[in-house]
Amino acid sequence: MDDDRSKIGSRAGLTGICLNILLATGKLIVGAIIGSISIIGDAVNNYSDVASSVVTMVSFKLSSKRADKEHPYGHGRMEYLSGFIVSAVVIAVAIELARSSIGSIINPSDLDTGLVPVILLLVSIGVKFWMSHFYTKVGKRIGSSAMKAAAVDSRMDCITTSVALVSVLVMMVADVNIDGYAGIVVALFVVWQGIKSAMETAEPLIGSKAEDEVITEIKEIVNTYEHVMGVHDIRVHDYGPDKKYVSMHVEIPGTLSLHEAHLLLDEIEIEIVDKKLASEVIVHPDPIDEDYPGIKELRHKCKEIAVKVNRDITIHDFHIIDHKSYVCINFDVLVPYECDMEDGEIAQKIKNELSEECYQYIDNDFRINVNVDRG
């Protein structure tokens, strides 16, 4: 699969290189002849696309390398890194174009327009529109963020080239030189798109959350198994396309033997991998003790108290450890990221209210341990 992705991505990158070189060279020649800063800027933008395609091809080659001692999770994130580099190049080119456009406004030059630049720009728009469709199709087929970034860049090129075309047409029809202003519009638009694309490609590198649909599907799979009492703390660790690792906690009855629990969790892991939701799955079992006197009632009370603190808080891993001199009530609290309360404040509020309820169900001295997680 990795070899196929690399071949498809490389062929797509080579196609982009050839087309962009032809477009850029044509625009550079025509722009220099008629003295149009917006067309020259558009040509430079196409040359930057050539560099981007080269980076994309190299990234596909590197990302397909097998895992090694220094990189046990593979090299898949090289593809995300290449997408970020492409965005950075686009922004740098746009800033230089803006500088040149300002110079053109301060010291305008005559434009020698004609049908040749109009035809060239129309052809360029058509080619870039096709390339956008082509990159989108390839990106969806192989799940490549770099290809999707290239598709967005091609769509933006259609707009920037259209701006250059408008400046040429205005000069032809009204004999008004707006070339420098058109160049600034092109530059600002490209900068905005570059920043947006950079933020999107940086997300997986930083460690973004998995798609809600993926989390929901994983939960549905896990909850279909007998003995599963709940699932939480699902984390998807993204190390590149087709290299996603999932970890989670699954609540099961404490009465299951170690062998029974192991077989159950193995089945869950295998199904999630088979359905291509992850490359590898790690499940942590949370045994639930249902036999301790009053534990069901206490767990229910604890959930009610947590909801009072914040309606989106959930309780997990509720269990009671009976020591010789005291009882330890231990559980985890999952708090949404957007909750403004401090973790310590949340834990203390729940402990205070739960302490009053414990006297009804526990005769011994007790301690309450609350572990607060965000998710």
Side-chain angles (χ1 to χ4, degrees), residues 154-176:
S154 294
R155 287 196 292 273
M156 295 310 102
D157 287 346
C158 290
I159 297 174
T160 56
T161 304
S162 297
V163 174
L165 176 61
V166 168
S167 71
V168 172
L169 293 175
V170 169
M171 187 66 188
M172 290 176 63
V173 175
D175 197 27
V176 177

Side-chain angles (χ1 to χ4, degrees), residues 119-333:
I119 294 172
L120 175 65
L121 293 174
L122 285 173
V123 169
S124 177
I125 292 170
V127 171
K128 280 294 183 177
F129 183 79
W130 177 85
M131 289 174 67
S132 172
H133 176 74
F134 172 69
Y135 283 138
T136 299
K137 187 177 180 180
V138 173
K140 288 181 178 179
R141 180 181 175 186
I142 63 177
S144 168
S145 59
M147 282 291 128
K148 292 175 183 177
V152 172
D153 186 43
S154 294
R155 287 196 292 273
M156 295 310 102
D157 287 346
C158 290
I159 297 174
T160 56
T161 304
S162 297
V163 174
L165 176 61
V166 168
S167 71
V168 172
L169 293 175
V170 169
M171 187 66 188
M172 290 176 63
V173 175
D175 197 27
V176 177
N177 188 347
I178 62 168
D179 190 53
Y181 298 98
I184 288 180
V185 171
V186 169
L188 292 176
F189 198 80
V190 173
V191 166
W192 176 69
Q193 280 303 132
I195 292 173
K196 183 179 177 183
S197 180
M199 292 175 64
E200 289 175 355
T201 53
E203 282 279 309
L205 292 173
I206 297 171
S208 58
K209 68 183 288 290
E211 296 178 356
D212 292 337
E213 294 80 7
V214 174
I215 299 297
T216 300
E217 190 171 354
I218 290 174
K219 285 182 178 179
E220 289 175 352
I221 290 172
V222 174
N223 286 319
T224 59
Y225 282 83
E226 185 182 3
H227 300 307
V228 169
M229 304 172 68
V231 55
H232 56 94
D233 288 347
I234 299 176
R235 299 286 187 268
V236 179
H237 312 276
D238 191 339
Y239 288 93
D242 298 328
K243 293 181 179 66
K244 292 180 173 57
Y245 298 80
V246 172
S247 61
M248 71 183 83
H249 289 216
V250 174
E251 295 178 344
I252 57 177
T255 53
L256 289 180
S257 69
L258 180 60
H259 181 67
E260 290 172 327
H262 181 72
L263 290 177
L264 170 63
L265 301 185
D266 263 358
E267 287 185 46
I268 292 172
E269 293 171 358
I270 291 169
E271 182 173 353
I272 293 173
V273 172
D274 285 346
K275 291 189 175 178
K276 301 188 183 305
L277 295 172
S279 308
E280 185 177 321
V281 182
I282 301 171
V283 181
H284 174 80
D286 288 332
I288 302 299
D289 183 6
E290 292 287 300
D291 297 329
Y292 195 94
I295 190 170
K296 292 182 180 179
E297 293 80 2
L298 270 178
R299 185 188 298 116
H300 180 71
K301 288 291 183 183
C302 188
K303 290 180 179 179
E304 288 183 345
I305 292 168
V307 170
K308 288 180 184 177
V309 176
N310 184 292
R311 62 186 180 86
D312 294 319
I313 288 179
T314 55
I315 300 296
H316 306 290
D317 301 347
F318 193 98
H319 57 277
I320 297 177
I321 303 172
D322 198 348
H323 296 281
K324 292 182 179 179
S325 56
Y326 68 93
V327 168
C328 182
I329 303 168
N330 192 80
F331 56 92
D332 293 346
V333 176

Side-chain angles (χ1 to χ4, degrees), residues 93-108:
V93 170
I95 292 173
E96 178 59 27
L97 174 58
R99 188 189 66 79
S100 300
S101 299
I102 293 172
S104 179
I105 293 173
I106 296 173
N107 299 301

